[in-house]
Amino acid sequence: MKTLGIDIGSRTVKAVLLKDKKVLSSFTTLNTYDFANIIKRILDELECDKVLATGYGRYLAKRDFDIDVVTEIKAFAVGVHHLEPRARTILDIGGQDTKVISLNERGDVIKFEMNDKCAAGTGRFLEIMAQAMGYKIEELGAEALKAQKKDLQISSMCTVFAESEVISLMARGEKKENIAHAVHKAIVTRVISMLKRVGIREYLVFSGGVAKNPCIRSLLEKELEISVHIPYDPQLIGAYGAAVLAGGIL
Amino acid sequence: MKDYIEMWKELDLDLSAHDELLKVLSGFYQDIYLSQQDRPKGMGYFDFVMSEIHGLRVKELVEAKKQGQKVFGTFCVFVPEELIWAVDGICVGLCAGAEAGKEEAERVLPRTLCPLIKSFMGFKIARLCPFIEVSDLIIGETTCDGKKKTFEILSSFKPTYVMEIPQMKKQNDFNLLKEEVLKLKDEIEKTSNKKITEENLSDAIRLINKRRKALQRLNKLRQKNPFVISGKDALLVNQISFYDDPVRFTEKVNILCDELEDKIDKKQVQDKARILISGCPMAVPNWKIPHIVESSNAVIVDEESCIGERNTRELVDESGTTFEEMIENIVKRYMKIDCACFTPNEERIENIVSLAKKYNVDGVIHYTLQYCDPYLIEAYRVEKALEKESIPVLRIETDYSLEDTEQLKTRIEAFVEMLR
């Protein structure tokens, strides 16, 4: 049986097609806000027996295509548990939200936290900071790791205020990589307090688009003093979990 | 609605803005309430009251005033309304649950202030609330900093009397509340030009107890699975108890309850998560969270809040025969209120745990209005106490805007998924 999971996130849309638990193909595209068209393209290209949608835009898939839905919390929990049954804590940093999910040995969600309205400390935050410093988002983390000076601080977590802090640091003549490092540190500090609220239990899996950023991972490991495990394609976990759930192979 | 335009003009409402507000409210009500399936017939009365919220009820108040009755507006379950009904006065709750008038409110208040306070101030300055306009006296209290400082500003718009509420529950706090109740009695007598007597106070105590008992009865019935009434409807009835005539209201609640009793055991048990909402009150039309919860395969079986259990749980002892005994019984009853403005406030935490067990809930949603420090801070201890009993908790902090609806949906749905 072929099952499809579609994760309609705030910045990107992801899809994973499974056949008998094995990934047949996957798909990631920037969200153009023409959800219906993107979903239609996915459904046309990735033929399947069953489909399940998750993510911020899941109800559009339900409304326009009558696709069943599940929250991204559940989808991530299932996706991670299937890839790594040892996982007990998931940190997911996506385009516009950050979540921490605590799992039991069966992969059930036992507690979770999610940021509210504000996108501070998420992928979008990093994108805007990268833009302010003239970096591409893909290179931002690697550049930040080159920092010599690691004591710079970005004190504001509001994206708008943080951007002006970045600009004033540049105006002061600070090196870009040092500022980039400070931006990453600010995010990690915020994320750690959320992790601590839920409680950090090993094994920790870090997923979502931001998990591709090597500096965030490195700072997390340094601060938490535990290993942070990143799946092969961290951005696809939600879609993968939805595909697993669609097949009912729990 | 046309019949009321003259009345609204006389009350000096901003007619076009008020019209807009009623339009939005009615659309909102259609989506959230009238679209529900299988509603009890008895809800028809409450739908009618809501459709006439700024119309017929206000007209009744205007007429009553012509007959010499006085209208008192309040913001808190701490104001002993028995004293108001004793002088044949009318008590109306003025707590507001909409963002209307926000810009006006932010002209005089800080932006980072509780939405409930900003809302009633906005309604006043933007001239949107006929209940504030029709009130002869507003009775404020000192439950939180936001309210007590806002009453200083409100008093320049409307006659406002502020009673002091103790913050602890020692003997001297009882004495303070008693003194304050007696001072309020003088104030109410002065405004109404009537005396509070043993006879009329005793009647008022019984009147309001009857209303509380009817709401307690409703609260028991909403526990039954298959559910005979939605949590949203039960909340609505509680909300309306703050506006409506108590005699008529009590009768209508009891009629509704009779109908619900007949409905019991006639359907299959429903597989829905049972949720207890704890925390800040939800004033009309703040139905954002209840609507999301009940659209997510869950039923709200109780609100621990002021618009809910906290207002109905305790009765005033009716056995007092002298004036002194009655006042003492009123003070005793009101001192049992476990608002987060008290310290220590173990009663509230213990009560939430015991409600969660008594109503066999699957999870608790701790709901706080943004910037409401007492409830926001107490949420930590509530969460710890519930976790100790292995009762899952979701903490939500939000305001009256609808911008966070999607994020809230995800969190609430995920919480319900977690409970199944």
Side-chain angles (χ1 to χ4, degrees):
Chain A
M1 184 171 63
K2 284 190 201 168
T3 65
L4 176 65
I6 308 175
D7 179 0
I8 306 156
S10 56
R11 300 287 298 153
T12 53
V13 179
K14 286 83 59 177
V16 168
L17 184 66
L18 295 182
K19 189 182 180 191
D20 306 327
K21 295 190 193 179
K22 297 246 159 48
V23 178
L24 269 190
S25 55
S26 67
F27 177 100
T28 305
T29 180
L30 263 185
N31 196 338
T32 58
Y33 301 98
D34 183 3
F35 295 96
N37 233 324
I38 297 175
I39 299 167
K40 193 174 173 305
R41 239 175 70 213
I42 294 170
L43 293 172
D44 287 346
E45 282 176 30
L46 308 175
E47 236 174 76
C48 64
D49 304 302
K50 276 185 177 170
V51 55
L52 193 64
T54 185
Y56 188 68
R58 63 190 180 284
Y59 279 106
L60 291 165
K62 190 182 172 94
R63 191 191 67 192
D64 296 348
F65 300 91
D66 199 27
I67 295 174
D68 282 338
V69 296
V70 66
T71 65
E72 47 267 46
I73 311 266
K74 175 103 178 172
F76 271 90
V78 169
V80 167
H81 180 71
H82 268 253
L83 289 173
E84 182 45 80
R86 283 177 295 173
R88 292 295 173 269
T89 308
I90 305 171
L91 167 64
D92 171 68
I93 311 183
Q96 271 180 20
D97 58 45
T98 302
K99 349 180 209 301
V100 175
I101 306 168
S102 190
L103 302 177
N104 65 14
E105 63 284 358
R106 290 195 309 271
D108 301 330
V109 178
I110 48 178
K111 199 175 175 187
F112 67 89
E113 283 266 347
M114 203 175 144
N115 64 326
D116 27 51
K117 273 187 210 178
C118 175
T122 63
R124 187 69 191 134
F125 179 86
L126 279 177
E127 276 181 351
I128 289 168
M129 297 308 132
Q131 214 173 16
M133 289 180 278
Y135 285 126
K136 283 189 196 130
I137 187 70
E138 299 80 12
E139 63 183 9
L140 181 67
E143 290 299 316
L145 282 174
K146 293 181 191 158
Q148 298 295 315
K149 196 171 159 189
K150 295 188 173 167
D151 57 354
L152 282 188
Q153 296 275 356
I154 300 283
S155 56
S156 182
M157 275 315 286
C158 165
T159 311
V160 179
F161 290 147
E163 189 181 5
S164 41
E165 281 188 52
V166 164
I167 291 166
S168 12
L169 285 170
M170 288 201 292
R172 232 167 63 185
E174 289 292 350
K175 283 193 176 144
K176 277 204 315 188
E177 60 266 29
N178 295 341
I179 305 172
H181 186 269
V183 165
H184 286 75
K185 233 171 38 183
I187 292 189
V188 167
T189 309
R190 185 182 167 102
V191 161
I192 285 179
S193 71
M194 197 191 269
L195 274 163
K196 285 188 174 158
R197 270 167 82 136
V198 176
I200 307 165
R201 288 152 57 243
E202 291 194 80
Y203 182 105
L204 173 70
V205 171
F206 181 19
S207 67
V210 176
K212 291 179 172 174
N213 179 311
C215 186
I216 299 277
R217 178 197 192 161
S218 140
L219 286 170
L220 275 172
E221 290 192 323
K222 204 176 124 216
E223 293 295 321
L224 297 174
E225 296 176 341
I226 61 171
S227 305
V228 172
H229 303 270
I230 297 174
Y232 172 67
D233 197 335
Q235 216 172 350
L236 289 178
I237 299 297
Y240 175 73
V244 171
L245 275 167
I249 42 175
L250 267 175
Chain B
M1 282 295 160
K2 274 188 188 138
D3 318 347
Y4 302 127
I5 289 178
E6 276 311 308
M7 175 179 79
W8 291 332
K9 258 190 208 157
E10 271 167 38
L11 291 172
D12 196 26
L13 296 191
D14 177 338
L15 288 181
S16 68
H18 182 250
D19 225 40
E20 267 315 298
L21 173 74
L22 290 188
K23 249 186 243 159
V24 172
L25 193 63
S26 132
F28 216 47
Y29 195 74
Q30 173 67 41
D31 293 346
I32 295 177
Y33 276 95
L34 301 179
S35 65
Q36 295 178 101
Q37 305 284 317
D38 282 334
R39 288 178 82 210
K41 280 197 199 74
M43 283 308 294
Y45 170 74
F46 301 98
D47 288 338
F48 174 71
V49 173
M50 277 308 294
S51 71
E52 287 283 345
I53 188 157
H54 283 189
L56 194 54
R57 181 61 184 144
V58 177
K59 197 162 187 222
E60 284 180 346
L61 299 181
V62 171
E63 293 301 322
K65 278 166 66 117
K66 284 185 193 153
Q67 305 302 316
Q69 284 180 276
K70 297 289 175 192
V71 177
F72 297 82
T74 64
F75 291 98
C76 181
V77 295
F78 239 113
V79 175
E81 57 177 308
E82 286 85 352
L83 302 181
I84 296 172
W85 300 107
V87 295
D88 203 21
I90 297 168
C91 178
V92 287
L94 295 178
C95 288
E99 254 192 333
K102 186 177 166 190
E103 282 165 29
E104 303 282 337
E106 288 180 357
R107 260 176 39 209
V108 300
L109 294 172
R111 210 162 43 80
T112 50
L113 183 70
C114 151
L116 189 150
I117 297 173
K118 264 200 276 186
S119 182
F120 74 66
M121 219 36 210
F123 269 89
K124 172 63 203 116
I125 303 175
R127 298 183 288 128
L128 290 171
C129 176
F131 289 99
I132 295 187
E133 302 308 331
V134 89
S135 295
D136 294 287
L137 181 69
I138 288 177
I139 304 173
E141 23 50 52
T142 60
T143 40
C144 70
D145 290 349
K147 271 180 165 182
K148 71 188 185 206
K149 299 309 284 181
T150 302
F151 291 137
E152 293 171 6
I153 303 173
L154 185 63
S155 66
S156 66
F157 292 90
K158 240 350 212 183
T160 306
Y161 174 86
V162 177
M163 73 180 281
E164 188 176 348
I165 304 295
Q167 308 272 291
M168 296 180 83
K169 289 186 178 173
K170 298 175 307 216
Q171 187 53 49
N172 55 329
D173 298 302
F174 275 84
N175 300 344
L176 169 68
L177 186 65
K178 189 170 173 186
E179 273 173 43
E180 286 297 312
V181 168
L182 290 171
K183 273 194 245 168
L184 178 65
K185 169 198 152 274
D186 293 343
E187 191 66 29
I188 290 170
E189 288 181 334
K190 203 172 83 195
T191 305
S192 64
N193 219 357
K194 281 181 193 147
K195 281 274 165 220
I196 298 182
T197 62
E198 280 169 4
E199 202 189 346
N200 63 26
L201 186 55
S202 160
D203 287 348
I205 289 172
R206 286 177 168 78
L207 172 75
I208 298 309
N209 273 352
K210 269 188 201 146
R211 189 184 69 201
R212 292 187 186 116
K213 281 185 213 161
L215 288 166
Q216 287 174 0
R217 185 178 168 209
L218 177 67
N219 215 39
K220 271 197 195 114
L221 286 161
R222 75 193 277 198
Q223 303 305 323
K224 306 284 180 198
N225 186 350
F227 298 99
V228 288
I229 184 168
S230 69
K232 279 192 291 195
D233 278 337
L235 169 65
L236 182 74
V237 175
N238 276 281
Q239 289 170 330
I240 288 174
S241 72
F242 289 87
Y243 302 88
D244 203 4
D245 173 71
V247 175
R248 179 178 58 205
F249 175 85
T250 303
E251 186 195 321
K252 296 294 181 182
V253 175
N254 280 318
I255 291 173
L256 172 68
C257 290
D258 292 342
E259 180 193 346
L260 298 182
E261 270 166 8
D262 286 342
K263 272 177 83 176
I264 292 172
D265 288 337
K266 285 186 181 160
K267 284 187 291 180
Q268 291 286 310
V269 170
Q270 287 160 284
D271 179 30
K272 289 191 171 190
R274 301 171 65 90
I275 302 288
L276 165 70
I277 301 258
S278 161
C280 291
M282 292 174 183
V284 170
N286 178 17
W287 302 303
K288 179 166 75 172
I289 299 290
H291 185 53
I292 298 174
V293 172
E294 299 209 324
S295 305
S296 308
N297 204 26
V299 175
I300 298 168
V301 294
D302 191 32
E303 292 86 18
E304 173 261 345
S305 341
C306 312
I307 300 179
E309 283 264 351
R310 187 165 303 121
N311 183 41
T312 57
R313 193 170 74 225
E314 303 290 343
L315 303 176
V316 176
D317 182 349
E318 293 178 3
S319 67
T321 49
T322 64
F323 183 77
E324 173 68 19
E325 281 169 359
M326 289 177 205
I327 293 291
E328 190 76 23
N329 288 339
I330 287 175
V331 172
K332 271 189 200 151
R333 185 267 173 200
Y334 281 83
M335 274 310 262
K336 284 183 195 154
I337 294 174
D338 51 1
C339 170
C341 68
F342 282 99
T343 185
N345 196 26
E346 293 308 317
E347 296 105 300
R348 173 163 177 254
I349 295 168
E350 285 162 15
N351 181 48
I352 295 169
V353 172
S354 100
L355 287 174
K357 289 183 177 168
K358 178 166 117 191
Y359 295 143
N360 195 20
V361 307
D362 297 302
V364 175
I365 294 181
H366 193 281
Y367 166 82
T368 347
L369 289 171
Q370 240 171 18
Y371 312 115
C372 176
D373 289 346
Y375 281 94
L376 276 171
I377 298 168
E378 203 159 275
Y380 173 78
R381 299 194 58 223
V382 171
E383 189 176 13
K384 289 289 158 245
L386 287 164
E387 278 176 353
K388 212 172 141 202
E389 304 286 337
S390 302
I391 300 163
V393 195
L394 176 68
R395 277 206 255 173
I396 284 180
E397 179 188 347
T398 184
D399 58 11
Y400 292 165
S401 72
L402 296 175
E403 294 146 27
D404 61 350
T405 305
E406 293 304 320
Q407 285 96 328
L408 289 172
K409 244 189 212 168
T410 298
R411 291 169 66 193
I412 290 170
E413 275 177 31
F415 185 61
V416 174
E417 281 170 353
M418 185 180 106
L419 303 175
R420 306 315 295 148

